[in-house]
Amino acid sequence: MDVMEAAAVGAQVSIVRLFTRPLIYHLNFKKYVQEFRIAETVLLARKADIESQLQEQLRYVGGRATRAVEIWLQKVLEVINDAQYVADMVRKGKYLSRSKVGKRVVQITLEMEELCAKVYSFKSLVVHDAPSIDIVGNSPVIEKIYNYLIGQEVRMIGVWGMGGSGKTTIMRHVYKKLQEEAKFSKMIWITVSQRFDIRKLQKDIAHLLSNDLSDDETTIERAAKLYEELRKTGSYLLILDDVWQSFSLENVGIPEPSADNGCKIVLTSRAREVVQKMGCKEVQVAVLSKDEAFQLFLSKVGEDVLSADPTIRPVMKNIVERCGGLPLAVVTVASSMRGVHDPLHWRDVLNQLKGSRDVQHDVFHIIKFSYDHLAETCKYCFLHCVLYPEDYRISKEEIIEYWIEEGLLDEMGSRKEMKIKGHVYLQRILDSCLLQGPNGKNIVMMHDVVRDMTLSLIAKDHGFFVKAGMKLKELPNELEEALDMEKVSLMENFISKIPPEMSPKSKKLTTLLLSGNSLEEIPESFFSHMHALKYLDLSRNPIKILPNSISNLENLTALLLSECKNLEEVPSLSKLLALKKLNLEKTKIKEVPQGMEFLVNLRYLNLRFISCLEEIPQGLLPKLLCLQYLAIHPTLSRPEEIMELSRLETFEGRFADLQDLSKYVDFLLEQSQRNIKYFILVGKTVEYKLHSCTNSVTVKDCITAGSRVLPSNVEEFGIEKCNDLSSLNGVSGLQVATFLKKCRIEECEGLESVFSSSCPPLKSLESLVLRHLKNLNVLVAYPDPFLQAFSSLKVLFLVKCPKIKILFSTKLLLLQHLINLVQVIVWGCDQMEEIIESEEEEKGEIVSDTTEFTFPNLKELGLWHLPELKSICSANRVMLCESLQKLEIWNCPKLKRIPLKLDISFDNGKVSHHSPLKDIKMKSNEWKSIEWDHPEAKKALLPLVRIM
């Protein structure tokens, strides 16, 4: 065949393809739509599983979500939004448009399937900061456990020792080390706790494997399913913390760890007998030696105490001996004596600690000593923490709110002042080591030894009745007969029914916690004798109807019904004049409860996420003159009524349009001395999650021209589907928004640039997220030498912006302002050709010098689905990223070079790199085709590569 014939045949083939491909989409339309719906259902299920697992791990293991998981969740939201748009196209599509819609259906289906598959690449959902409790003397134990886990001989390890000896802390150090080194395909941490329940253990493990087990199945059936899921997981590490009794792995559904499956299991237990019966390799966590205990004590109490008066040393050593070498006891008593210099005080403490019968009694005595040294108010606050279940991660915000409503904090002028006081008390309890607070986290925990001591303490005072997290299926009989109960906690159980005749007789009962149960209804008589009840928490129950007897609880100050997702009606509240807090979040009520206008003492009202609540009766809110906290959305609010609430400190709500927002923004400006915190939605209902920023405005589907949009102290701003906006320069108020930290722009079809003229002085801007902007051409269209708007930028997300070709222009002085960038993600931008623009060479000029673009803080660079991306920067330019830890490149077929400057060395023929780079993710063909500037780069970086 000659060249002309070949060309003719080629042209015919191209023509056939041109017509047959659309025909295939048309003919297979129903099949593609069915596959699309299946993929969407599976992806939504995967998303729900990952979010649920993540919350579970954060609650029980601590740490924070990995960046990979955060990005995956963000990408899922993007694809789901696309899927919803495509689903609308399918519903509205005409017969003749099937080929075009069919093509888009196939594309989105593939994206959803890719995201579903990526779930299995997560080795862990969380990363951990270093634990806050010292591991003095336990480094050899950590090393021993670690070596057993990476070695081949030992498959099951049993870490045992007294309560308070540091077993869990040691395992957290090991977990963190293994996580950084990615030694296992998956790491699973389950806190078992004292009351062993085989079905709960099965459910917890399955949950962390993105699977759910049916309650209708037998334990044997569940075990078979779990066994199969674990077998498919690969070389996993299973950590079972705080095990109190031995059990059969087979009965649970856990495969026996072996060299063939590469799996390992670690148990921690107070009892040596447990780890022996389980056939584990024993690792004892011994108590500290006298010297180790003394050094730990000195590090906590402060060496300045000894410097001030050396005669205290022998007394101090005697006190340390009473701690029995247990780190928990040493740290607890040292924290109580911090800053004490008086020798007589030290001797008095020693006398108090003398006379104990054994080590365990000593520890209880020491914890009691720390408790006795708290101020009276702090004691009451601490005791209320025992109302939560064992190993419960208590939100700081939640416990302080609880103290406020229980009246443990003195009345002050504002809720903010009371919260500050609450944080002071909480910090004093943390400083005493009676509670633990992971570094940088907004949660606190009570060690189980401390909890045991506290329960024994309140056992002498029959005012407390605590059966929280005990797996109860019905109310205990003692509840009905005990006459002197004041605080009852039955939270986090499985109680589904209350006997019709049950009516607790205690006339002293002030607090009843029934949250997190399975109650569907409550008998009318149940509350009939609870005349003193002040605090009632029925949150997170599938309750459908409340008894009318609630209407007679005239001393009630707090009624919590959040996440009672089946609740459609609340009885009249007209008699509850003492009520200060009402939480109806995520219920199904269609109208506000009758009699709300009489709640003149109400300070906290939460009506968030009540989709059935269409409106708030006009004139109701101004009658609630004491309101300090108000949350109402997606139900609309009237700005004039909100402005009448003179004591309001926090407002979360939704306005109909920008005219209403403008009224409220002007009001905020006039009332700037009040420093009102706000979270405002404008326009159509917006899905969102609350962030750490306090002052936030989100606008959706509005005409922005002529309206004041932003208050001067806004910290977070989101704008969606405002198609008249060509750039942020059209947003009124942005020029003075100097506190703005986060900015998000989505689906604004008219937006061509982020800034089209002089950039506003947004020196606090840390995050810029740009999504689905179909006409975005550039970030900055104006050659402004003053680009302070980017000087603090840490996070830049660019997603589904099909027209932008260059991310960073070298014609502007933009790059020199990006020194604080930490994370850059570019995803699904069809025409993106360059990340950093290639500089034009002048005629006749030969450029031979290599120029460095410096990003000193950049830790993560992700480039996804960029079919036209040819370069990250030009051939004679390199990127110096001394902090880069993670590099992801996926589906960038035209990219041929990674211009990173690497620190690579040779030692005895071995090639190694010395940068912080830990993780490289690419497709196999991209790893093979992409070149690096250093000839030995691929060999040095190969251990870091994960092929996706």
Side-chain angles (χ1 to χ4, degrees):
M1 184 183 294
D2 60 23
V3 175
M4 293 296 290
E5 288 176 335
V9 170
Q12 289 171 0
V13 170
S14 297
I15 291 169
V16 169
R17 283 177 179 167
L18 181 66
F19 287 100
T20 56
R21 280 180 182 169
L23 185 61
I24 289 170
Y25 290 129
H26 185 93
L27 293 174
N28 294 319
F29 185 75
K30 288 185 178 179
K31 174 191 169 188
Y32 292 151
V33 169
Q34 185 178 9
E35 291 172 350
F36 166 86
R37 286 173 177 155
I38 292 171
E40 184 180 27
T41 301
V42 172
L43 182 59
L44 287 169
R46 288 278 186 274
K47 175 177 175 286
D49 287 342
I50 290 294
E51 288 176 332
S52 183
Q53 289 176 43
L54 183 60
Q55 290 305 313
E56 196 82 3
Q57 288 194 31
L58 291 175
R59 178 175 173 182
Y60 290 108
V61 185
R64 62 183 185 279
T66 64
R67 288 302 304 149
V69 171
E70 287 182 350
I71 291 171
W72 184 86
L73 288 170
Q74 288 166 343
K75 288 174 182 173
V76 168
L77 287 175
E78 297 296 335
V79 172
I80 287 172
N81 283 338
D82 285 351
Q84 290 170 349
Y85 177 72
V86 170
D88 288 339
M89 291 171 65
V90 170
R91 281 192 294 271
K92 298 174 184 176
K94 298 178 180 178
Y95 184 79
L96 294 177
S97 65
R98 278 187 165 193
S99 59
K100 180 180 178 182
V101 177
K103 181 180 180 180
R104 191 73 184 114
V105 165
V106 171
Q107 290 171 341
I108 295 295
T109 301
L110 289 173
E111 287 185 29
M112 290 193 290
E113 288 173 346
E114 278 183 11
L115 285 167
C116 285
K118 189 168 173 58
V119 168
Y120 298 104
S121 70
F122 295 148
K123 295 194 174 183
S124 178
L125 301 184
V126 299
V127 291
H128 294 270
D129 300 320
S132 58
I133 298 177
D134 299 76
I135 54 166
V136 172
N138 282 319
S139 295
V141 177
I142 290 173
E143 199 62 30
K144 180 185 284 189
I145 296 169
Y146 173 79
N147 288 332
Y148 282 154
L149 288 172
I150 64 172
Q152 295 302 314
E153 296 181 4
V154 178
R155 313 310 303 181
M156 284 186 67
I157 303 164
V159 182
W160 66 277
M162 289 182 63
S165 58
K167 300 181 293 298
T168 301
T169 299
I170 286 168
M171 283 313 303
R172 281 185 179 147
H173 277 271
V174 174
Y175 185 102
K176 183 174 183 290
K177 188 174 183 180
L178 290 168
Q179 189 179 55
E180 290 172 350
E181 298 171 359
K183 296 288 186 184
F184 292 91
S185 62
K186 195 168 189 67
M187 294 170 65
I188 305 165
W189 182 303
I190 304 289
T191 302
V192 180
S193 296
Q194 190 166 352
R195 291 186 174 269
F196 179 77
D197 181 339
I198 190 170
R199 291 178 69 84
K200 182 178 185 300
L201 180 56
Q202 289 174 329
K203 185 176 181 179
D204 289 345
I205 296 173
H207 201 54
L208 295 179
L209 295 173
S210 302
N211 282 281
D212 286 320
L213 299 175
S214 171
D215 291 334
D216 297 330
E217 294 174 321
T218 66
T219 302
I220 295 173
E221 290 171 331
R222 288 156 63 103
K225 285 189 176 180
L226 183 59
Y227 183 96
E228 188 59 27
E229 287 301 321
L230 282 169
R231 190 186 63 77
K232 292 189 297 186
T233 302
S235 57
Y236 60 82
L237 168 63
L238 175 61
I239 299 172
L240 300 174
D241 188 32
D242 199 17
V243 178
W244 285 70
Q245 65 184 67
S246 58
F247 59 90
S248 162
L249 295 179
E250 183 181 357
N251 290 348
V252 177
I254 301 171
E256 196 75 29
S258 65
D260 292 336
N261 59 31
C263 302
K264 301 278 180 112
I265 297 176
V266 181
L267 313 178
T268 75
S269 179
R270 295 190 191 184
R272 185 181 187 183
E273 181 184 11
V274 170
V275 301
Q276 287 176 332
K277 285 185 176 180
M278 296 289 291
C280 298
K281 179 72 174 180
E282 293 182 40
V283 177
Q284 182 183 5
V285 179
V287 297
L288 301 176
S289 69
K290 289 182 179 180
D291 287 342
E292 290 168 343
F294 189 67
Q295 289 306 313
L296 176 58
F297 189 90
L298 272 183
S299 72
K300 294 299 178 184
V301 81
E303 297 201 21
D304 61 306
V305 175
L306 275 183
S307 304
D309 190 344
T311 64
I312 293 175
R313 178 181 287 269
V315 181
M316 189 182 287
K317 284 198 167 185
N318 279 330
I319 289 173
V320 174
E321 285 182 22
R322 308 309 303 170
C323 296
L326 291 174
L328 176 67
V330 172
V331 170
T332 301
V333 72
S335 300
S336 297
M337 296 303 291
R338 192 182 296 121
V340 176
H341 296 85
D342 183 1
L344 293 176
H345 191 160
W346 280 91
R347 288 190 177 90
D348 180 56
V349 169
L350 178 58
N351 290 331
Q352 291 180 47
L353 296 177
K354 282 182 177 178
S356 299
R357 296 182 296 276
D358 53 42
V359 174
Q360 197 66 35
H361 192 273
D362 263 358
V363 173
F364 271 53
H365 203 46
I366 285 164
I367 295 170
K368 174 69 163 56
F369 163 79
S370 291
Y371 167 78
D372 289 339
H373 276 69
L374 290 174
E376 285 302 310
T377 303
C378 287
K379 285 181 183 177
Y380 286 120
C381 290
F382 168 70
L383 287 178
H384 281 72
C385 296
V386 84
L387 296 171
Y388 289 88
E390 182 182 350
D391 295 319
Y392 200 85
R393 297 170 72 85
I394 308 169
S395 158
K396 289 182 179 179
E397 188 74 16
E398 180 182 332
I399 193 64
I400 290 172
E401 282 280 340
Y402 177 49
W403 293 344
I404 290 174
E405 304 310 332
E406 278 279 12
L408 299 178
L409 305 179
D410 292 336
E411 289 287 342
M412 294 183 178
S414 68
R415 198 171 195 85
K416 180 181 178 182
E417 289 173 331
M418 295 177 77
K419 284 188 175 183
I420 291 171
K421 179 61 74 175
H423 278 286
V424 170
Y425 288 161
L426 185 58
Q427 191 58 51
R428 287 176 186 169
I429 298 170
L430 287 166
D431 290 344
S432 73
C433 291
L434 291 171
L435 291 177
Q436 299 170 1
N439 289 335
K441 304 301 174 191
N442 290 319
I443 56 102
V444 293
M445 296 180 69
M446 185 180 288
H447 194 285
D448 50 3
V449 174
V450 177
R451 189 171 187 271
D452 290 344
M453 183 282 300
T454 312
L455 287 171
S456 70
L457 191 67
I458 63 173
K460 300 170 186 176
D461 173 10
H462 298 291
F464 277 74
F465 182 82
V466 182
K467 296 285 182 181
M470 302 287 280
K471 305 179 181 66
L472 302 178
K473 294 184 178 179
E474 55 187 36
L475 289 179
N477 293 328
E478 308 99 288
L479 186 63
E480 188 168 18
E481 300 303 326
L483 300 177
D484 50 2
M485 291 181 190
E486 293 183 23
K487 315 286 180 187
V488 172
S489 177
L490 297 167
M491 66 187 330
E492 305 300 331
N493 281 296
F494 302 105
I495 301 167
S496 58
K497 289 184 179 179
I498 297 176
E501 70 282 355
M502 179 173 271
S503 179
K505 304 295 191 299
S506 176
K507 295 180 180 180
K508 296 181 180 179
L509 186 63
T510 60
T511 300
L512 178 59
L513 308 180
L514 280 166
S515 56
N517 277 284
S518 304
L519 288 170
E520 292 187 6
E521 61 178 314
I522 298 174
E524 188 64 43
S525 62
F526 186 69
F527 296 109
S528 56
H529 298 291
M530 299 185 191
H531 304 302
L533 193 64
K534 292 183 177 180
Y535 193 100
L536 176 59
D537 189 355
L538 297 170
S539 303
R540 303 192 312 283
N541 276 287
I543 195 161
K544 297 176 181 177
I545 187 167
L546 291 171
N548 289 322
S549 54
I550 282 182
S551 300
N552 297 319
L553 300 176
E554 296 184 9
N555 288 305
L556 202 65
T557 58
L559 177 58
L560 310 184
L561 299 166
S562 64
E563 297 189 58
C564 293
K565 296 182 179 179
N566 296 326
L567 185 64
E568 296 183 358
E569 189 176 347
V570 176
S572 172
L573 305 179
S574 60
K575 294 182 183 179
L576 308 190
L577 303 184
L579 198 66
K580 295 180 180 179
K581 182 170 186 175
L582 177 61
N583 191 339
L584 294 167
E585 179 176 339
K586 294 184 180 178
T587 59
K588 278 190 176 179
I589 63 168
K590 298 175 182 177
E591 298 177 346
V592 298
Q594 290 183 5
M596 272 193 66
E597 65 272 18
F598 299 107
L599 304 183
V600 292
N601 290 302
L602 196 66
R603 300 177 185 184
Y604 181 108
L605 177 59
N606 187 343
L607 300 173
R608 282 192 308 207
F609 304 114
I610 308 178
S611 56
C612 300
L613 184 62
E614 295 183 0
E615 67 172 354
I616 307 295
Q618 191 162 357
L620 171 62
L621 291 178
K623 293 177 181 178
L624 308 179
L625 294 174
C626 289
L627 273 183
Q628 298 170 327
Y629 175 94
L630 175 62
I632 309 177
H633 49 78
T635 312
L636 287 172
S637 298
R638 303 175 187 86
E640 298 85 359
E641 294 192 351
I642 308 300
M643 289 151 57
E644 288 188 47
L645 299 172
S646 60
R647 297 188 186 181
L648 197 64
E649 300 171 34
T650 302
F651 170 61
E652 295 180 27
R654 174 173 159 246
F655 294 135
D657 51 42
L658 287 177
Q659 285 70 38
D660 281 354
L661 176 64
S662 292
K663 294 176 186 176
Y664 194 68
V665 169
D666 290 340
F667 168 75
L668 289 174
L669 185 62
E670 294 170 9
Q671 300 288 321
S672 57
Q673 75 284 355
R674 286 174 56 186
N675 196 23
I676 299 170
K677 301 298 180 186
Y678 52 86
F679 190 99
I680 301 173
L681 309 174
V682 185
K684 291 185 177 179
T685 304
V686 181
E687 289 186 10
Y688 71 93
K689 291 183 178 179
L690 291 174
H691 300 291
S692 56
C693 287
T694 51
N695 294 337
S696 173
V697 173
T698 299
V699 179
K700 183 173 182 179
D701 206 2
C702 293
I703 303 298
T704 59
S707 300
R708 183 170 176 80
V709 176
L710 293 180
S712 59
N713 62 346
V714 66
E715 295 178 21
E716 183 172 346
F717 174 51
I719 187 163
E720 303 175 26
K721 294 187 177 181
C722 294
N723 297 328
D724 68 319
L725 197 69
S726 60
S727 79
L728 285 187
N729 293 94
V731 175
S732 174
L734 192 68
Q735 287 290 336
V736 293
T738 54
F739 296 97
L740 186 66
K741 292 180 181 178
K742 297 181 180 181
C743 181
R744 176 177 54 83
I745 314 172
E746 296 188 25
E747 298 183 80
C748 295
E749 294 186 0
L751 196 91
E752 297 177 354
S753 62
V754 179
F755 298 115
S756 58
S757 58
S758 182
C759 294
L762 305 178
K763 295 182 180 180
S764 300
L765 187 65
E766 296 179 356
S767 173
L768 180 61
V769 176
L770 308 170
R771 292 185 179 132
H772 296 269
L773 303 173
K774 62 191 298 184
N775 288 304
L776 181 71
N777 293 311
V778 291
L779 295 184
V780 181
Y782 182 77
D784 188 346
F786 305 107
L787 295 168
Q788 296 98 331
F790 298 98
S791 61
S792 297
L793 195 66
K794 294 180 180 179
V795 176
L796 176 61
F797 272 65
L798 189 70
V799 178
K800 297 275 185 174
C801 299
K803 285 193 176 179
I804 189 168
K805 295 183 177 182
I806 298 168
L807 185 59
F808 301 129
S809 171
T810 53
K811 295 185 178 68
L812 305 176
L813 299 175
L814 178 60
L815 287 171
Q816 69 188 52
H817 291 276
L818 297 174
I819 58 172
N820 289 306
L821 265 181
V822 174
Q823 182 187 24
V824 176
I825 302 293
V826 185
W827 191 65
C829 299
D830 294 342
Q831 294 186 41
M832 178 69 70
E833 296 178 0
E834 297 177 294
I835 302 302
I836 301 175
E837 183 182 27
S838 300
E839 296 181 29
E840 296 179 6
E841 299 173 10
E842 293 183 13
K843 261 192 177 177
E845 183 182 355
I846 299 173
V847 181
S848 58
D849 295 338
T850 298
T851 299
E852 293 181 355
F853 295 119
T854 303
F855 299 93
N857 296 299
L858 187 66
K859 292 183 179 180
E860 181 177 355
L861 176 62
L863 305 174
W864 288 68
H865 298 289
L866 307 174
E868 298 299 322
L869 184 67
K870 298 180 179 66
S871 71
I872 294 176
C873 63
S874 57
N876 60 318
R877 306 288 190 261
V878 296
M879 290 172 61
L880 182 59
C881 306
E882 295 178 342
S883 302
L884 191 67
Q885 297 178 8
K886 188 171 185 178
L887 176 66
E888 289 192 3
I889 295 177
W890 176 269
N891 200 17
C892 302
K894 294 185 179 181
L895 184 64
K896 301 302 178 188
R897 171 178 174 254
I898 305 293
L900 287 178
K901 186 174 183 180
L902 300 171
D903 183 8
I904 292 177
S905 65
F906 300 86
D907 185 17
N908 295 326
K910 185 179 179 181
V911 184
S912 57
H913 77 102
H914 304 284
S915 72
L917 193 59
K918 296 178 181 177
D919 192 14
I920 300 174
K921 292 183 181 178
M922 291 186 186
K923 292 175 83 170
S924 176
N925 60 322
E926 288 173 327
W927 170 250
K928 291 174 183 175
S929 64
I930 288 177
E931 297 296 328
W932 302 69
D933 288 355
H934 197 289
E936 300 294 333
K938 284 195 174 182
K939 189 181 292 184
L941 297 174
L942 186 58
L944 308 179
V945 177
R946 283 202 272 169
I947 300 299
M948 294 188 290

